[in-house]
């Protein structure tokens, strides 16, 4: 019975730390720039787009296909950075144990 109480307390502690992490990540910002800063995208720790900056030079080319590709690339890189940060924080909380398949945080 004593072990069960200890496990319950530990589970509550982990749950509390995970909630704090999710709150922190929602407020964190991750930016990625591509093509010599032609496009810069910022996402929060949940992968939600926060800002897109396009340099005037990138608009001057009138190449919408390239601009679309640059936006996608910068977005993907920013989301990867957010995901990497989340995984590092989760490893700290879970003691390095991987989450079960399908249980990805935050998105």
């Amino acid at each position: 019975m004593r072990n069960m109480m200890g496990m319950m307390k530990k589970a509550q502690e982990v749950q509390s730390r995970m909630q704090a992490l999710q709150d922190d990540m929602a407020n964190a910002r991750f930016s990625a720039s591509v093509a010599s800063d032609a496009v810069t995208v910022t996402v929060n720790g949940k992968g939600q787009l926060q800002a897109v900056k396009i340099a005037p030079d990138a608009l001057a080319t009138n190449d919408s296909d390239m601009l679309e590709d640059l936006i996608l690339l910068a977005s993907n890189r920013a989301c990867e950075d957010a995901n990497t940060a989340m995984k590092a924080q989760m490893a700290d909380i879970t003691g390095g144990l991987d989450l079960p398949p399908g249980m990805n945080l935050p998105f």
Side-chain angles (χ1 to χ4, degrees):
M1 186 69 152
R2 190 170 184 198
N3 285 341
M4 181 63 110
M5 294 298 284
M7 286 175 42
M8 293 292 287
K9 184 177 179 181
K10 185 68 173 174
Q12 289 174 338
E13 183 181 309
V14 168
Q15 183 179 14
S16 175
R17 289 181 67 193
M18 287 179 71
Q19 183 61 51
L21 172 60
Q22 288 179 339
D23 294 344
D24 289 347
M25 290 300 287
N27 294 317
R29 298 293 181 261
F30 300 87
S31 295
S33 296
V34 294
S36 301
D37 296 332
V39 173
T40 301
V41 172
T42 302
V43 299
N44 67 11
K46 291 185 173 187
Q48 298 168 328
L49 191 62
Q50 301 295 306
V52 176
K53 292 187 181 189
I54 301 171
D57 294 346
L59 294 172
T61 65
N62 290 324
D63 187 349
S64 63
D65 289 336
M66 182 179 5
L67 187 56
E68 290 168 0
D69 289 342
L70 292 175
I71 292 169
L72 285 173
L73 181 60
S75 298
N76 288 336
R77 285 185 183 171
C79 286
E80 286 174 16
D81 290 347
N83 195 27
T84 298
M86 175 60 91
K87 284 182 180 180
Q89 294 291 329
M90 285 298 297
D92 181 49
I93 291 173
T94 63
L97 297 175
D98 288 332
L99 291 174
M103 194 172 173
N104 297 324
L105 296 175
F107 43 86

